[in-house]
Amino acid sequence: MIINFLSDPVHFIAHWLEGLLLGLGLSPSLVGFLLSLLGAIVIALGSMMFVIFLIWYERKLIGRLQDRYGPNRVGPYGLIQPIADMLKIFTKEYITPAGADKVPYNLAPVLAVASVLMIWAVIPFAKGIAGVDLNVGVLYLIAAGAFGTLGIMLAGWSSNNKYALLGAFRVVALMISYEVPMVMSLLIPVLLSGSMGMGSIVEAQAHGYWFLFVSPLAALIFFITSVAEVGRAPFDLIEAESEIVAGFNIEYSGLKFGMFYVAEFLHAFTVSLLFATIFLGGWQGPWAEDIPILGFIYYLIKTWAVYFIGIWMRGSLPRFRIDQMMDLNWKVLTPAGLVIVIVTALGAKLLEPAPLLVRGGVLLASNLVVGWMAIEILQVFARKKRRELQSFEGRYIQRNASLE
Amino acid sequence: MSLQQIFFLVVSAVIVASAVMVVSARRMMHAALWLITSLFGVAIIFALLQAGFFAVIQVVVYIGAIAILIIFAVMLTRRSLEDPGGQLIRYWWLAALAGLGVFVALVGVLSQWSGFGASLPALSTQAPPGEVSQLGLALVSPDAYVLPFEVASVLLLVALVGAIAIAWDRKPPKG
């Protein structure tokens, strides 16, 4: 009994509750509905509560990266700081700017949070523990992202503020363009596992056959595009404080601003969850099949590692200009994604009868070759550009000399 | 009436009402938002019919791409596209009559169809688990939809090349 509870608490509690409710004389379909509702509420509330801790962790880590202490006044190691901030934001006044379009203005923060929470519905936390194992899980992720874009656009447009509108333009440009390579990089795990369901993608990565090892290039593209979708540094040009004040959420105050803030942190963590699911094998690990809670712990560790790298990037890289961002997307990530999809499709089909290790090795080698070729081609272009600039500079100096 | 039927009726009412709002809203932006509501309602109908793939595709294509492009275009034009003028033309009743006629004719034709009164479980028990892969196979198999699929692909490619050609930044000739 105790062992059951410790190894698989979710199913244990679900069974117990089911028995209890059935004992009360409720109909089985109603009990099923109530349990699903309870699960949804627990996932939604749990993830929102988790953000309180995430905010502390991220501020502390960014502080360390920038040679500061980070929050350290309220509670041990500043742990209570986000709770204090949260209580403060509850008491703040809601200000609606004059000329704002009321309904979209109030709808936008809700959409922003909802689009992230929607993703949590399909995440497999451990063996057999997922909100719902959709057979089109990967597509569902893209669809959920569309709602996030919509929320931010509404926020920017309805605030009646030019900076908000500029921020919204940047967001839409960023999100729509980075969706293209993201979808292509998501095609690779779908190809390799033969399914679009998150559960089967995790199942296909058993025994260390992680898609990160099989297709590191796709993993890299997914990682970069997911950071871009969240809109954090180095892609934080959507809320560049020094250029457009704060971007799309400039006119929001109080808890409505808080919702955008929560949505951003939650989204950053959620894409780490997705990376861990799709490329790091999710809950897979030694004995995770038998003891679900162990799988959950592996999953958290993997997610935490990805999240750490995200914060590391945020703390150390400068902001992209919008043209650099577009160049990176359309001239590097998209062609690389196209090539890698074709190569992987060919390789996976031709090597279907080969043993797993051979197939993985060949695919890994083809990934490395494609990556190396991409770097070589980029270097050729960079050299050409540099030569052009140098010759231009040379002419400029000569002309100045002749004028003297 | 089963729960599913009630759900269907509610969703259909929302779709029709928001479709009416699309043409009657005075602000262009509101019309676009109502359009999104309407399209999302259609996605829910797909989900009710257990066509999860189409539900998600409906959201990805219509809300994620088309509606967002419409909103983008509206945002880039005048500040708030508002039309203060009258919304009805003189012969609106003729158009209403024609619309009603088409509706009655469609219902009349559809009620003759054998699947008109079929309930959902009759369909869902036959659906195999790998519905998405079946769709994929049908799209590339020569006895099914390979020709329309290829024609659509070529059309999209032409549109893509055309968009690049229009947006190409022509540098002035040197000298």
Side-chain angles (χ1 to χ4, degrees):
Chain A
M1 190 94 162
I2 291 289
I3 300 295
N4 264 347
F5 176 74
L6 286 181
S7 80
D8 191 0
V10 175
H11 281 133
F12 185 83
I13 293 173
H15 278 305
W16 175 73
L17 261 181
E18 200 179 351
L20 191 75
L21 289 172
L22 284 174
L24 286 175
L26 300 174
S27 74
S29 65
L30 184 66
V31 171
F33 174 74
L34 282 178
L35 284 179
S36 309
L37 189 71
L38 194 69
I41 291 173
V42 167
I43 288 185
L45 280 184
S47 53
M48 300 272 270
M49 289 287 142
F50 193 54
V51 173
I52 299 172
F53 175 65
L54 282 184
I55 291 173
W56 171 82
Y57 175 74
E58 181 148 351
R59 286 182 61 186
K60 199 79 184 168
L61 201 59
I62 289 273
R64 285 296 176 182
L65 287 169
Q66 295 172 345
D67 215 3
R68 313 180 268 117
Y69 282 117
N72 65 346
R73 295 287 148 184
V74 194
Y77 306 103
L79 260 171
I80 318 279
Q81 183 68 49
I83 296 177
D85 287 348
M86 194 182 72
L87 291 176
K88 187 188 73 177
I89 220 166
F90 275 133
T91 63
K92 291 228 170 176
E93 186 190 355
Y94 296 134
I95 300 166
T96 308
D101 204 338
K102 289 270 164 39
V103 176
Y105 179 79
N106 291 318
L107 192 64
V110 180
L111 271 179
V113 175
S115 73
V116 183
L117 282 182
M118 272 168 79
I119 296 177
W120 283 64
V122 293
I123 289 175
F125 292 100
K127 189 178 166 59
I129 299 174
V132 51
D133 192 11
L134 280 183
N135 62 351
V136 285
V138 170
L139 266 178
Y140 175 86
L141 301 179
I142 310 289
F147 282 100
T149 316
L150 192 65
I152 289 172
M153 278 176 89
L154 288 185
W157 179 79
S158 62
S159 307
N160 193 24
N161 179 310
K162 61 184 170 199
Y163 294 114
L165 196 59
L166 277 175
F169 282 151
R170 289 184 177 194
V171 174
V172 178
L174 182 92
M175 286 196 163
I176 290 185
S177 359
Y178 274 77
E179 220 161 62
V180 176
M182 181 183 245
V183 171
M184 281 178 207
S185 65
L186 282 175
L187 275 178
I188 308 283
V190 172
L191 266 173
L192 293 173
S193 66
S195 163
M196 285 198 284
M198 301 294 269
S200 351
I201 289 179
V202 173
E203 301 270 346
Q205 303 180 65
H207 312 300
Y209 188 69
W210 293 0
F211 293 155
L212 173 72
F213 303 142
V214 183
S215 189
L217 198 58
L220 184 68
I221 293 174
F222 179 76
F223 183 70
I224 294 173
T225 52
S226 62
V227 171
E229 290 272 311
V230 179
R232 321 193 91 180
F235 297 97
D236 62 343
L237 70 164
I238 60 175
E239 46 187 42
E241 294 89 347
S242 47
E243 297 162 23
I244 51 172
V245 195
F248 63 91
N249 59 19
I250 178 173
E251 292 288 2
Y252 284 85
S253 62
L255 205 57
K256 289 180 201 165
F257 170 74
M259 287 184 80
F260 280 118
Y261 195 69
V262 164
E264 188 203 318
F265 276 85
L266 194 57
H267 200 176
F269 188 73
T270 309
V271 293
S272 315
L273 274 175
L274 290 179
F275 189 89
T277 313
I278 297 171
F279 289 103
L280 298 183
W283 46 262
Q284 298 276 11
W287 302 296
E289 291 269 346
D290 306 319
I291 311 170
I293 191 101
L294 209 57
F296 183 65
I297 292 169
Y298 293 143
Y299 189 33
L300 272 188
I301 292 171
K302 290 169 185 173
T303 307
W304 218 255
V306 179
Y307 189 56
F308 177 80
I309 296 173
I311 299 176
W312 193 2
M313 266 174 76
R314 186 185 172 206
S316 38
L317 289 178
R319 182 184 302 144
F320 274 147
R321 279 198 325 259
I322 192 153
D323 58 320
Q324 292 170 332
M325 174 200 97
M326 284 297 174
D327 278 357
L328 176 68
N329 180 54
W330 292 113
K331 296 180 182 169
V332 182
L333 295 181
T334 308
L338 274 172
V339 170
I340 203 70
V341 164
I342 295 169
V343 168
T344 310
L346 280 177
K349 189 70 195 167
L350 291 178
L351 292 169
E352 215 169 11
L356 212 58
L357 209 61
V358 176
R359 189 157 29 129
V362 172
L363 286 176
L364 173 66
S366 66
N367 261 270
L368 294 180
V369 168
V370 170
W372 173 74
M373 273 163 58
I375 291 172
E376 283 296 309
I377 292 170
L378 283 176
Q379 270 183 347
V380 168
F381 274 104
R383 237 176 262 136
K384 200 177 141 210
K385 192 93 186 169
R386 208 174 298 137
R387 219 177 295 127
E388 262 173 27
L389 281 175
Q390 272 167 357
S391 67
F392 179 76
E393 223 166 62
R395 276 210 308 271
Y396 187 73
I397 291 166
Q398 271 178 359
R399 202 186 62 155
N400 275 7
S402 69
L403 282 177
E404 278 165 15
Chain B
M1 223 192 290
S2 73
L3 198 67
Q4 216 163 25
Q5 278 170 321
I6 297 172
F7 207 67
F8 171 78
L9 286 178
V10 171
V11 174
S12 317
V14 169
I15 293 174
V16 173
S18 45
V20 170
M21 288 306 290
V22 172
V23 284
S24 63
R26 286 195 180 267
R27 269 195 177 187
M28 199 66 136
M29 192 58 132
H30 291 174
L33 292 178
W34 282 115
L35 181 67
I36 290 174
T37 317
S38 184
L39 293 170
F40 187 63
V42 176
I44 295 176
I45 297 276
F46 276 132
L48 272 180
L49 292 171
Q50 305 194 343
F53 182 72
F54 289 103
V56 175
I57 286 289
Q58 170 86 9
V59 172
V60 171
V61 172
Y62 283 96
I63 297 178
I66 292 180
I68 284 189
L69 270 184
I70 291 175
I71 293 184
F72 208 42
V74 174
M75 274 164 82
L76 278 171
T77 47
R78 276 186 291 151
R79 231 191 83 245
S80 68
L81 282 172
E82 276 193 78
D83 184 11
Q87 290 182 302
L88 292 176
I89 56 162
R90 224 168 109 202
Y91 298 108
W92 66 272
W93 52 273
L94 262 177
L97 214 62
L100 202 68
V102 170
F103 179 69
V104 169
L106 274 178
V107 170
V109 170
L110 276 179
S111 62
Q112 303 294 314
W113 178 47
S114 61
F116 188 69
S119 53
L120 185 64
L123 289 170
S124 69
T125 46
Q126 289 163 3
E131 47 172 319
V132 179
S133 57
Q134 281 201 331
L135 176 79
L137 286 176
L139 281 180
V140 291
S141 101
D143 346 308
Y145 303 102
V146 71
L147 192 66
F149 181 67
E150 287 300 320
V151 169
S153 317
V154 170
L155 183 69
L156 285 176
L157 185 67
V158 169
L160 203 65
V161 172
I164 293 172
I166 290 171
W168 193 267
D169 188 16
R170 286 178 191 80
K171 288 199 180 84
K174 282 178 189 169

